[in-house]
Amino acid sequence: MQGEKTAAVIGLGSMGWGAAHSLLKAGFAVHGCDVRPDVLQRFADAGGESCTTPADAAKAANVIFVFVVNSSQAEDVLFGPQGALETATLGTVFLLCTTMAPSATISIAERLEAAGMLVVDAPVSGGHLKALSGEMTVMSSGSDEAYARAEAALDAVSAKIFRLGDRPGPGSQVKMINQLLAGIHIAATAEAMTLAAKSGIDLKTLYDVLRVSAGSSWMFENRGEHIVSGDYTPRSAVNIFVKDLGIVTSEAKRTGAITPLAATALNLFVEASDAGFGLEDDAAVVKILARKSGAILPGVEGQG
């Protein structure tokens, strides 16, 4: 019989890697699954058990974290060939950490529950550094039984767990609103930095002033530094916000809400993706504004 502190993490990207690392630090036996052989090798070197299929990762786990990119991938790793549901034991807790449309989360949760599993809708926030330190924020919803069984694992990866309801759905709704703000703030940061550059303001000086002033935000403080240094190594990619702001605007249309700022930010991310920046850090949206404005920014080619 498997010990209680056995977890699987499906998807070892920026946030999934951090969660898996935090679980290892907390004494869990962790089975990690990813499609990239180099990532699996790094995970094995870090003390984890690397698995090439979700089914292999799931068969030994009491708790399974799903950290893939979108709802389509979530369905594949859960219900497809060699998916986690093929080997998961009854009563296993699935933590759905992927940012998805609330309707998609509910649909996936219902399929898992129909198969005898427990589910926590558990999207996360905080960035890759918070993930690595086990200090993510979890916006969650699910049954008391699911929470009780997943408590130790959730505590290992998070600094704050918000319980937003007793059924899957509310967690994804709140994460959607978070992503609305995050995407708009990144776009606003790009616009501010472009205007500063065109105005002849030293970007590092501006950053140092604004990060401690009323106009700052977490995204300005984090992504503004990327723009100042010209470092577009992906922590969270442009394409992530094409997806997430797409969820926002689609849900807004469905509910009748008006979201003009989200729509404008989405257009900027789509344009950046179409220009070839989709896999770069999401701060690379500034490259579109720099090109159009003729602004000179660190690390941005073809300017002026």
Side-chain angles (χ1 to χ4, degrees):
M1 182 177 178
Q2 295 293 332
E4 286 300 309
K5 297 188 72 171
T6 305
V9 179
I10 301 173
L12 296 173
S14 180
M15 302 300 280
W17 178 273
H21 180 73
S22 297
L23 288 161
L24 287 170
K25 287 194 301 182
F28 279 78
V30 185
H31 299 254
C33 177
D34 200 272
V35 296
R36 297 164 294 175
D38 59 319
V39 172
L40 291 179
Q41 184 59 56
R42 281 201 300 127
F43 187 59
D45 292 343
E49 179 70 31
S50 292
C51 303
T52 57
T53 68
D56 286 341
K59 62 186 177 185
N62 305 110
V63 177
I64 299 174
F65 290 81
V66 181
F67 273 102
V68 294
V69 172
N70 54 37
S71 59
S72 177
Q73 288 187 8
E75 290 181 356
D76 287 344
V77 301
L78 293 171
F79 310 117
Q82 292 294 297
L85 203 57
E86 287 188 4
T87 59
T89 58
L90 292 177
T92 296
V93 183
F94 283 79
L95 296 153
L96 302 180
C97 302
T98 299
T99 300
M100 299 183 280
S103 58
T105 300
I106 292 168
S107 175
I108 288 171
E110 288 175 345
R111 291 177 68 182
L112 289 169
E113 289 170 343
M117 306 300 165
L118 296 169
V119 181
V120 178
D121 176 11
V124 300
S125 187
H128 72 288
L129 292 178
K130 292 290 188 182
L132 278 172
S133 63
E135 297 177 299
M136 294 187 294
T137 296
V138 183
M139 308 164 203
S140 65
S141 54
S143 68
D144 288 343
E145 184 181 5
Y147 275 108
R149 295 196 186 186
E151 182 178 14
L154 282 169
D155 286 345
V157 304
S158 63
K160 183 67 176 178
I161 303 166
F162 289 96
R163 292 189 61 171
L164 304 167
D166 59 6
R167 295 286 307 141
S172 289
Q173 288 177 320
V174 171
K175 179 61 187 292
M176 176 182 68
I177 305 303
N178 180 79
Q179 295 309 91
L180 178 153
L181 288 168
I184 290 171
H185 287 170
I186 294 169
T189 296
E191 184 174 303
M193 289 299 203
T194 301
L195 177 58
K198 285 296 289 184
S199 301
I201 301 170
D202 178 75
L203 294 186
K204 179 63 166 62
T205 300
L206 178 81
Y207 174 74
D208 288 342
V209 172
L210 293 188
R211 66 189 293 265
V212 293
S213 299
S216 189
S217 66
W218 191 93
M219 281 301 188
F220 176 84
E221 185 170 349
N222 188 273
R223 295 335 194 248
E225 193 279 330
H226 298 177
I227 295 170
V228 169
S229 63
D231 180 7
Y232 297 98
T233 304
R235 289 82 163 179
S236 174
V238 164
N239 283 344
I240 294 295
F241 277 94
V242 172
K243 170 184 72 85
D244 290 358
L245 288 174
I247 291 171
V248 170
T249 55
S250 176
E251 186 71 5
K253 183 177 181 180
R254 188 186 70 80
T255 61
I258 304 301
T259 54
L261 298 181
T264 299
L266 172 59
N267 289 338
L268 184 60
F269 281 103
V270 169
E271 192 171 353
S273 181
D274 290 345
F277 306 135
L279 299 181
E280 295 188 23
D281 190 81
D282 50 36
V285 293
V286 77
K287 295 183 178 183
I288 296 299
L289 297 178
R291 281 182 177 180
K292 291 182 173 181
S293 302
I296 305 300
L297 293 172
V300 180
E301 298 178 359
Q303 310 166 91

